[in-house]
Amino acid sequence: MRRRVFTTGRRAALALLAGASFTAPLAAQNLPPIDAARIAETESVLGPLVESYGPSGAEGPVRATVQRMLPSWAHAETDTAGNLWVRVGKGDPLVVFVAHMDEIGFSVSAIGDDGSLEVKPIGGFIHSLFESRPALIHTPGGDVPAVFEPRSALLPGADSAARASLTHQPTALVVDVGTENRAATERLGVKVGQTITMPKEYVRLAGTRATGRSFDDRVGCTALILALRRLDPSRLKHQVIFIWSVREEIGLEGAAAAAASLGGHVARVHGIDTFVSADSPLEIKTFADALVGDGPVSRAVDNSAVTPPPLVDTLVALARTRGIPLQVGTTNGGNDGSAFAAWGVPDVAIGWPLRYSHSPAEVVDLRDVAGLADIVQAVAEGW
């Protein structure tokens, strides 16, 4: 039998937050059989989204990919912040789903006399994961290939003192485009302010696993698209708004703009984002232990929001009614739904377990992605 995700101690701690008890989630061993057609459809959406580049503030290519894959009946609109909206149904209560389009990356902060680039991070991550790796500078004229330079300690012949520095994260990264002076770099179309990422590719692993970069939060974006494809708008009992937001990684800026425009009219928001999971070889299992492959996760508590326990119970009960495996847990990080807190809107965040978050080799299970779409659809139709 697989381990239970929600341990007794964690369950009790969360229940104490509001003096309530949680309905038991659907057990992992009751996972539905793999539907090859649904897995294939999930890949057909997730793959192109992962391979679209869109650091915070430069989400245009991702937004275009989302729009291309929406159902034909869905009317999409872009607000002044850059968020993409689809409104479905009419009447109260108004419910919002929000997943972010942006990914981590860098921007060019200066061009050196030797042609190299000083960069500053866009969003948080571990710098050493990018050292000695290929880079792409995104310019209006096309992507310019480059390299994230290694520290001298990584080069042949480095002395012991230099190698000792590898126990610490680099304070900054330098990008080499292969030129020898500033003018040559500028002739390539590179300018201060342009974004930089690492080349990425969606890769299917064994079984239903896949790897790539920027699953955070292209999986959430995928779930909203798949849910919309399966919805019958005429059957909705109230209005539901699907939002693909911008600039989440640098402070929930897109979600904050959406929240301000809707104000207190929203009854409930569902931030759809990564559940950073301890389900990897070196993690401590006492926290964020949601298993990859065991279904989506109710993000009951994270660094930005606490879901009222009765709402977690309602979500779990709805999942059980629909036969959707749902885990419940606590994790680090924030989610777009918390930007609505200033308006008194409860955030019932839903995630999906991810290994190696914010790295070049994130790992996801496609069953979790399909299940996330199922729970989004179920909430839209039945809650």
Side-chain angles (χ1 to χ4, degrees):
M1 182 181 293
R2 306 282 305 267
R3 292 169 293 161
R4 287 294 298 275
V5 173
F6 210 34
T7 66
T8 302
R10 196 180 309 122
R11 180 189 180 109
L14 284 172
L16 285 172
L17 289 172
S21 61
F22 286 94
T23 304
L26 189 65
Q29 60 266 31
N30 292 329
L31 285 171
I34 295 172
D35 183 332
R38 293 193 64 216
I39 294 298
E41 183 187 12
T42 300
E43 278 199 300
S44 72
V45 176
L46 180 59
L49 281 172
V50 164
E51 294 182 355
S52 298
Y53 293 91
S56 302
E59 298 91 348
V62 185
R63 185 168 48 244
T65 303
V66 171
Q67 288 180 287
R68 188 174 70 249
M69 293 191 290
L70 290 172
S72 58
W73 56 262
H75 174 68
E77 53 189 288
T78 302
D79 64 17
T80 56
N83 302 312
L84 186 70
W85 299 49
V86 171
R87 302 170 189 263
V88 191
K90 296 180 180 179
D92 294 327
L94 171 58
V95 175
V96 173
F97 294 95
V98 56
H100 68 87
M101 296 183 288
D102 58 318
E103 64 192 79
I104 60 172
F106 300 86
S107 65
V108 179
S109 58
I111 303 175
D113 291 340
D114 62 356
S116 65
L117 307 179
E118 295 179 17
V119 300
K120 60 181 180 182
I122 301 173
F125 51 90
I126 301 172
H127 280 145
S128 61
L129 295 174
F130 288 73
E131 287 185 287
S132 307
R133 300 288 189 117
L136 285 177
I137 308 161
H138 303 290
T139 79
D143 294 340
V144 176
V147 172
F148 291 101
E149 287 188 354
R151 279 175 284 181
S152 59
L154 293 169
L155 301 176
D159 59 28
S160 57
R163 293 195 177 279
S165 72
L166 292 177
T167 60
H168 305 283
Q169 288 297 318
T171 56
L173 292 176
V174 175
V175 172
D176 178 13
V177 296
T179 60
E180 296 183 354
N181 54 65
R182 180 185 290 111
T185 296
E186 291 174 339
R187 283 196 295 271
L188 295 174
V190 177
K191 297 181 179 180
V192 170
Q194 291 172 342
T195 59
I196 302 175
T197 61
M198 180 189 295
K200 57 180 179 172
E201 181 182 7
Y202 172 86
V203 177
R204 179 72 177 268
L205 302 176
T208 52
R209 301 287 168 90
T211 187
R213 188 178 62 75
S214 73
F215 281 137
D216 174 13
D217 186 26
R218 305 302 160 74
V219 168
C221 294
T222 296
L224 298 193
I225 293 169
L226 292 174
L228 271 172
R229 287 183 177 183
R230 296 165 190 162
L231 277 176
D232 180 353
S234 67
R235 297 181 62 183
L236 294 189
K237 301 174 183 177
H238 54 82
Q239 186 178 32
V240 180
I241 300 178
F242 294 78
I243 300 176
W244 290 262
S245 69
V246 296
R247 303 191 299 281
E248 188 270 352
E249 298 290 0
I250 58 174
L252 316 182
E253 292 181 3
S261 70
L262 293 169
H265 299 293
V266 180
R268 193 177 65 252
V269 62
H270 297 273
I272 309 299
D273 205 346
T274 312
F275 186 94
V276 180
S277 175
D279 183 20
S280 59
L282 299 179
E283 297 287 349
I284 299 172
K285 306 303 180 185
T286 55
F287 180 73
D289 191 20
L291 303 177
V292 176
D294 273 13
V297 192
S298 168
R299 286 178 58 149
V301 178
D302 64 23
N303 297 107
S304 69
V306 177
T307 302
L311 297 184
V312 176
D313 273 341
T314 301
L315 182 64
V316 170
L318 179 61
R320 289 182 65 87
T321 299
R322 294 286 189 112
I324 304 168
L326 180 70
Q327 307 181 73
V328 179
T330 63
T331 189
N332 283 318
N335 73 87
D336 272 327
S338 65
F340 289 72
W343 304 96
V345 179
D347 178 16
V348 188
I350 311 171
W352 40 276
L354 179 70
R355 288 181 180 171
Y356 321 129
S357 179
H358 281 199
S359 82
E362 296 174 335
V363 173
V364 69
D365 194 297
L366 296 169
R367 293 173 296 176
D368 298 336
V369 185
L372 183 61
D374 288 341
I375 194 64
V376 170
Q377 178 187 358
V379 170
E381 292 176 341
W383 183 6

